Every structure is written in C-alpha cells, then in structure tokens.
Amino acid sequence: MACNDENEPLLSGLATPRTQKTNGDRPKKRRFRRVRSAPFADFVPTDGNREAALPRSGSIFGRLNPSLKKVALFLTLYMGLGTICFYTTRTQIKGDKTNGILDALYFCVVTMTTVGYGDLVPNSDLAKLLACAFVFTGMALVGLVLTKAADYLAEKQEILLVKALHMNQKVGELQVLKEIETNRVKYKFYITLIILVVLILTGTIFLYEVENLGLVDSFYCVCSTITTLGYGDKSFSTEGGRIFAVFWILASTICLAQCFLYVAEVNTENRQRALVKWVLSRRTTNVDLEAADIDDDGVVGAAEFVLFKLKEMGKICQQDISVIMEEFENLDVDQSGTLSVSDISEAQSVETRMP
C-alpha cells in the first residue's frame, strides 16, 4: 500500500453532496472506460507506412535521460582529462606497464568502474589524491549518466525483441506497443541479460586467446572484473588486452549493474500485479461500499469506486488525492462542484492578476 490510511475518507472538502436519487429519476447509466488521453490512443498507425508509425519509446527517466551525444561528451571529457592527469603522473604510478598513454587510459577506466586490479597503483601523494578524485567523479558519471544511457538503449531494442518473440504470429503495431507497455521492465531485463552473456563469453574467449590464461582463469578474471571485485591476481597485462579492457570493462560492469536493477524492478512489479489481482478478484462487501462512499449519500458512483480501488491497490494515497482536490477547488471558482470553460478562464485570469 502507498499509505496506511485505508480508513480515512478518500476526499475531503468535496463540493456540495449529491442528493439521493429514487428509481423514478435515476439517470441513464454511464460507463467510464478510457479517458481521451489514454496512452495508446495516439499510437494507432494512420498511414500506409506502418513501420514509420511506430513511436519512439520514451525513457522511464524522462528528462533525466541524456542524449547519446551528451553521454559521449561527458565520457570523452572524463576519459580525456583522466588520461592526461595519469599520463602526467605516470612515473608516480607503479606496476605492470605497457604504453604510457594506454596505461593512463586503462588506469582511468579501472578507477572509474572501481575494479581496481592492483596491477597499476598510485605511488605518491599527488597520484593518490588524483585517484581519489577520479574514483568519486567516475562513480557519479556511471550512476547518473552512463546507466541512464544504457537504460535508454535497452528501451530502443524492445520493439525488436517483441517482434522476434512473435515472428510467427501476425501482430500489429498496436499489439506490440501494448505488450511493451505491459512488460517493459521484463523485456529490458531480457535484453540486458542477453548482452551480459555475450560480454562474458567475449571476455572469457579474449583472455583465453590473447592473454594466454587458462579457461577457468579467464572466466574467473571475467567474473571478478564485472562484479568489480578485482582481486588482481589475474588481469589484462598486454597492450592488446588493455585496449580491449578499456571498452569491455566499462560495458560489462554497467550491464551487470543494470541487470540487477531490472531484476529488482521485475520483482517489485510482480508484487504490485499480485496485489492488483487480489484487489480485483476479492468480493466487494458492505464495508467496502461504506468506505468508498465519499460524500456519504448512500450510493457509490463510478468515480468513487475507481478511487477506492486505486487506493486499495496502493497506486494512490490520501496525500495524492488531497493535492488533486486542492487543485480542483482552486479551479472551481464558482464553487459548483464541477469545472467548466468559464471556471478555467476565470481561474487563469485570477492567476495573471496576482503579483
């Protein structure tokens, strides 16, 4: 539940209560099925080009999701500045070295992802302070920018995944979009898991072939890397290996983090769906009707019943309703209990006159 206020009235300060109607003057039955702003109403293809009619999926992070250009810019600035700093202090970093610039870039990636093999370590106060600064800024970059970019890319592949799962069935664009909306997190988990498996296999094969590690040692190094354990007994020690590691470590660590994030989200989503199913399947009792009767007129309207069920499902709480009702009361200038065009116009004119 979103709030522990099941026994509180759903709305307070509601407009003039309705009078109880008799059977003789009962209004015609109205059914509320879908509001005009329903998400999929605008997605129905209207032209012959059905592929072009598919909308781009928006990110669950909304405005926080950076464009790929911005991600590339942030990553380039961080890696470039880190490489310059660690190359300048290369004599103050000890360990297994190959090429000065490559080692600086490699050390920057290992620091940012918190892998920290130990094959290269700072050996002076300046180098240690630089490492401290870059590990914190690197973690912030990974958490705030790169993971959101990974989520954005996973969403972009959802339509392809759903179509692949239903390739033998005739599924229209509207059905694809509904399927994505219903199982969005689950499909992102599938995509991330597939990519993670590919990255693990690629890393294991590369370490086996290029770094000349045993098959078990290669897999062991991959696992200790993507989980950021970085024991240090096995790592990338050749020039080719470190060039590969610069890209592979960054991609694999972020992919694993996203995979675990989606697992948690899928679990939360399943629990929410189970709650919704229980709420909709249980019998409505007289106690429920009494609790759903907002204006205490002895009958429960469609809007009252919907609010009661949404609150029971944990999708809204008393605080949400109070905020919405406050906005309604501010717009209801004539205090009639309903909103009209004149109410909206008058409310807007009052706002413009306010200092």
Side-chain angles (χ1 to χ4, degrees):
M1 293 289 179
C3 300
N4 296 323
D5 50 12
E6 291 83 353
N7 297 325
E8 296 181 17
L10 285 176
L11 301 182
S12 58
L14 193 68
T16 307
R18 301 174 312 209
T19 56
Q20 198 166 359
K21 299 182 184 297
T22 61
N23 293 336
D25 57 356
R26 181 178 297 167
K28 291 183 178 179
K29 192 173 185 180
R30 299 178 62 189
R31 293 186 179 273
F32 302 93
R33 293 300 183 193
R34 178 173 292 183
V35 295
R36 292 185 180 180
S37 60
F40 293 110
D42 300 327
F43 290 171
V44 180
T46 55
D47 53 30
N49 187 0
R50 298 182 67 82
E51 286 294 328
L54 280 173
R56 295 183 178 181
S57 73
S59 172
I60 60 175
F61 292 98
R63 294 180 181 178
L64 291 177
N65 180 56
S67 66
L68 294 182
K69 290 183 180 179
K70 188 179 292 185
V71 171
L73 176 63
F74 286 153
L75 186 59
T76 302
L77 288 175
Y78 177 88
M79 301 293 286
L81 183 60
T83 301
I84 293 172
C85 290
F86 292 125
Y87 179 76
T88 305
T89 59
R90 64 188 181 280
T91 57
Q92 303 172 42
I93 296 176
K94 65 178 182 179
D96 301 328
K97 297 182 180 180
T98 57
N99 176 278
I101 295 178
L102 177 59
D103 288 342
L105 181 60
Y106 169 76
F107 183 73
C108 186
V109 171
V110 170
T111 301
M112 176 176 64
T113 55
T114 70
V115 171
Y117 287 122
D119 50 353
L120 294 174
V121 293
N123 196 33
S124 69
D125 291 342
L126 176 60
K128 290 176 182 179
L129 289 174
L130 282 173
C132 292
F134 274 91
V135 71
F136 281 112
T137 53
M139 290 176 67
L141 180 65
V142 170
L144 299 177
V145 179
L146 297 183
T147 54
K148 294 176 177 60
D151 180 82
Y152 174 80
L153 292 174
E155 286 192 357
K156 289 298 182 182
Q157 309 306 314
E158 287 177 333
I159 292 177
L160 295 177
L161 178 61
V162 174
K163 284 189 173 183
L165 292 174
H166 299 88
M167 62 172 55
N168 296 325
Q169 304 173 12
K170 292 183 178 180
V171 181
E173 282 77 5
L174 185 59
Q175 286 74 23
V176 170
L177 291 167
K178 286 183 178 180
E179 178 72 12
I180 292 173
E181 186 67 22
T182 304
N183 300 292
R184 180 177 297 275
V185 179
K186 184 175 71 173
Y187 285 132
K188 286 197 291 187
F189 167 70
Y190 288 158
I191 292 169
T192 309
L193 183 62
I194 292 171
I195 296 173
L196 180 62
V197 171
V198 171
L199 287 170
I200 290 175
L201 291 175
T202 303
T204 303
I205 294 171
F206 184 90
L207 285 166
Y208 179 77
E209 294 290 340
V210 178
E211 295 290 334
N212 295 320
L213 297 179
L215 193 59
V216 174
D217 285 341
S218 299
F219 182 69
Y220 162 77
C221 182
V222 165
C223 292
S224 65
T225 299
I226 65 176
T227 56
T228 70
L229 281 172
Y231 287 122
D233 52 342
K234 305 295 180 184
S235 62
F236 297 88
S237 57
T238 63
E239 276 194 37
R242 289 186 175 177
I243 293 173
F244 172 80
V246 166
F247 302 98
W248 180 83
I249 291 176
L250 194 59
S252 58
T253 51
I254 292 175
C255 189
L256 181 66
Q258 287 296 109
C259 193
F260 283 128
L261 173 64
Y262 293 144
V263 168
E265 288 186 2
V266 167
N267 183 53
T268 302
E269 194 175 79
N270 288 338
R271 291 176 60 185
Q272 178 63 31
R273 287 180 179 176
L275 175 62
V276 170
K277 184 178 180 180
W278 176 81
V279 169
L280 295 177
S281 61
R282 76 178 187 86
R283 288 187 175 183
T284 302
T285 64
N286 292 335
V287 176
D288 295 329
L289 290 179
E290 184 178 352
D293 189 9
I294 298 171
D295 48 14
D296 297 323
D297 64 349
V299 294
V300 175
E304 292 173 312
F305 188 74
V306 169
L307 281 175
F308 173 72
K309 285 295 183 181
L310 287 175
K311 188 178 179 185
E312 197 174 26
M313 292 173 187
K315 294 183 179 295
I316 59 173
C317 68
Q318 185 61 40
Q319 287 84 348
D320 299 327
I321 299 172
S322 298
V323 171
I324 296 172
M325 281 305 301
E326 183 179 352
E327 181 182 359
F328 179 88
E329 291 169 356
N330 291 335
L331 293 173
D332 187 16
V333 179
D334 58 5
Q335 302 298 311
S336 64
T338 59
L339 294 180
S340 61
V341 176
S342 60
D343 285 325
I344 303 298
S345 301
E346 190 171 347
Q348 290 176 345
S349 63
V350 170
E351 290 179 0
T352 55
R353 290 196 299 266
M354 292 179 63

